[in-house]
Amino acid sequence: MEGATPRPGYGRLLRTPGAWTFLLPGFAARQPFAMLTIGIVLLVQHTTGSYGTAGAVAAVTGVSMALFAPQGGKLADRYGQRAVLVPGVVIHAASVAALVALTLTGAPLWALFAAALPTGASVPQIGPMVRSRWAALLGPAGTSPGADSGSVSDAGTGSSAGADSGPGSGSGGRGSSSLLPTAAAFESVTDEFTFVIGPVIATALCAGIHPAAGLIAEATLTLVGGLLFAAQRTTEPRPDRHDGAAGSGSPRVSALSVSGVRVLAVALLGIGSVFGGMQVSLTAFAEEIGDPGLNGLLYGIFAAGNMLAGIVCGAVAWKIGPRRRLLVGYAGLTVAASALWTVHSVPLLAGLGLLVGLCIAPALITSYTLVESLVPASARTEAFTWLTGAVALGQAAAVTAAGQLADAHGSSAGFVVPLAGTALALATLVALRSRLAPKASGRVAARGMSHRAPVTVD
């Protein structure tokens, strides 16, 4: 019977009924994470002449997103994605419009901070929502759209195989749980592609049309894409409104209560420091050599390496465990980032940026692999948003630090930020690596995406 099962792959995944109805609007609506920071930096730097000020405004947005995103994920798990998404995208578009208007009219810094706060808080968490839809479509019947996902404990029923069985194992359900790892890898590639085109589009619009054009496009994509995504009700996972009451199967579990999730959040803080440090420092480098438009090309090369590595990682049948992959991949990222501050020529910086990008995807994908095995299904969206928020927080801190360093000492000093962020995160990972092992009972992993499946999971 096993021999008759088709091999999981991207083509088979994309033929899943209903998938394209949320993939296309979801792709448009997830652009804010890739366009927002660079759009703010370019606009505010244009009007104030300071990378430090631009970085500070972007940092407020990032911190706000990091703090509010997990709460939005928790609400989406409980009340449904549409209930959270529709008001969220409207608030976000209005907040971006206010930030643009205040910046162009020379408003004081505190006013920009005030507008940046709701801008970040309302960034829609489309990536985590798409991942939850894939898991609902392909996973066990208990997590399918329209099914009650209140119970997270499947121990004793045989469905704990997700945590402990070999490659390709899964519990079946209405879709094919063997496709869950492929779906998660596909989402990783989509995220990386977003990071390829998002900053490039924002930079091109700001340089070629108007400094505010990048943010205006970001708000428009968020609003239109978000509303279209929210309209796809048939693939939306059914909300889990249980609070540990009788019949819920187990108490509601917060994703952040899992120690492994906290360790992974630190790892993604370091990855965020790479994104933020590269955005500001590459912009400053392009300004220093008198070719501001080169920023988009350099960042696009960096992000392209990220995407290409994601495609490869999603197709590899890994023979080493995810914890070891994460440690090795993160060490490689740290080594690659350590040389950025020494480079002063365009070809060398482009090549090293490509290498750094190639090193990000394996660490990022494996982090999502591990969180899937650590967190119960009822906290799935919240867990993804904690990781997304950690990237945003690391990016915000890096944008601020790199901006101040670039203002005072030039772009080379700004490139020190990715090195510092990844080195600190790597030290944390090495010291607390034992926290990344899933519980032997498999209770929390029963409905997640198996981390031992042959395709890398994001």
Side-chain angles (χ1 to χ4, degrees):
M1 192 68 181
E2 290 182 0
T5 302
R7 187 180 186 276
Y10 292 122
R12 183 180 166 208
L13 175 74
L14 295 177
R15 290 193 295 270
T16 302
W20 286 102
T21 63
F22 65 84
L23 285 180
L24 291 178
F27 178 77
R30 69 172 68 190
Q31 291 302 314
F33 196 70
M35 297 178 67
L36 185 59
T37 299
I38 189 65
I40 292 174
V41 168
L42 292 174
L43 175 60
V44 177
Q45 193 278 331
H46 173 79
T47 57
T48 65
S50 169
Y51 285 107
T53 300
V57 176
V60 170
T61 302
V63 171
S64 177
M65 175 184 166
L67 294 176
F68 284 91
Q71 308 311 314
K74 187 180 296 184
L75 291 173
D77 281 330
R78 187 169 186 181
Y79 298 108
Q81 296 180 359
R82 179 183 174 87
V84 175
L85 192 55
V86 171
V89 296
V90 174
I91 293 172
H92 182 76
S95 299
V96 171
L99 178 59
V100 169
L102 289 169
T103 304
L104 292 177
T105 56
L109 185 58
W110 66 264
L112 302 186
F113 287 160
L117 186 65
T119 296
S122 59
V123 171
Q125 299 304 305
I126 300 296
M129 290 181 180
V130 171
R131 288 180 172 91
S132 293
R133 292 193 183 217
W134 276 124
L137 278 176
L138 303 172
T143 59
S144 300
D148 189 348
S149 58
S151 173
V152 299
S153 177
D154 292 309
T157 67
S159 59
S160 62
D164 302 314
S165 59
S169 64
S171 46
R174 71 189 285 262
S176 173
S177 55
S178 65
L179 283 173
L180 284 172
T182 310
F186 176 81
E187 284 307 303
S188 171
V189 174
T190 303
D191 282 340
E192 311 315 329
F193 186 60
T194 297
F195 275 106
V196 171
I197 67 169
V200 174
I201 292 174
T203 302
L205 290 172
C206 291
I209 299 178
H210 189 275
L215 283 180
I216 293 173
E218 182 271 346
T220 302
L221 284 171
T222 300
L223 182 62
V224 176
L227 292 177
L228 289 175
F229 181 85
Q232 311 309 314
R233 304 297 300 276
T234 58
T235 56
E236 180 179 357
R238 181 171 176 174
D240 172 19
R241 293 188 172 88
H242 294 299
D243 286 306
S248 66
S250 64
R252 177 179 292 276
V253 178
S254 170
L256 202 59
S257 68
V258 180
S259 60
V261 173
R262 298 194 293 271
V263 175
L264 291 173
V266 173
L268 267 65
L269 281 170
I271 290 177
S273 74
V274 178
F275 286 127
M278 291 292 282
Q279 285 182 345
V280 172
S281 300
L282 288 175
T283 301
F285 175 81
E287 291 280 354
E288 288 172 1
I289 65 174
D291 189 1
L294 189 63
N295 170 46
L297 175 62
L298 290 174
Y299 194 87
I301 292 172
F302 157 70
N306 197 1
M307 182 188 69
L308 291 173
I311 294 173
V312 173
C313 287
V316 171
W318 294 102
K319 295 183 179 180
I320 60 174
R323 278 194 300 170
R324 182 176 298 178
R325 294 205 307 272
L326 179 59
L327 291 171
V328 172
Y330 218 98
L333 174 61
T334 304
V335 171
S338 67
L340 285 169
W341 68 276
T342 67
V343 177
H344 302 286
S345 72
V346 173
L348 287 177
L349 186 57
L352 189 56
L354 178 66
L355 179 61
V356 172
L358 289 170
C359 293
I360 285 181
L364 190 62
I365 292 172
T366 308
S367 296
Y368 279 107
T369 301
L370 285 164
V371 82
E372 276 285 356
S373 71
L374 295 169
V375 180
S378 60
R380 181 183 296 127
T381 308
E382 181 196 353
F384 286 138
T385 52
W386 276 115
L387 297 191
T388 303
V391 175
L393 185 59
Q395 185 175 3
V399 164
T400 302
Q404 296 290 342
L405 289 171
D407 276 343
H409 306 290
S411 61
S412 294
F415 282 123
V416 173
V417 173
L419 167 60
T422 53
L424 291 172
L426 177 62
T428 302
L429 280 174
V430 172
L432 302 177
R433 60 189 181 278
S434 63
R435 306 289 180 89
L436 301 177
K439 300 298 182 181
S441 65
R443 178 181 69 84
V444 298
R447 292 187 183 174
M449 299 179 188
S450 171
H451 68 284
R452 295 188 182 182
V455 181
T456 302
V457 185
D458 177 0

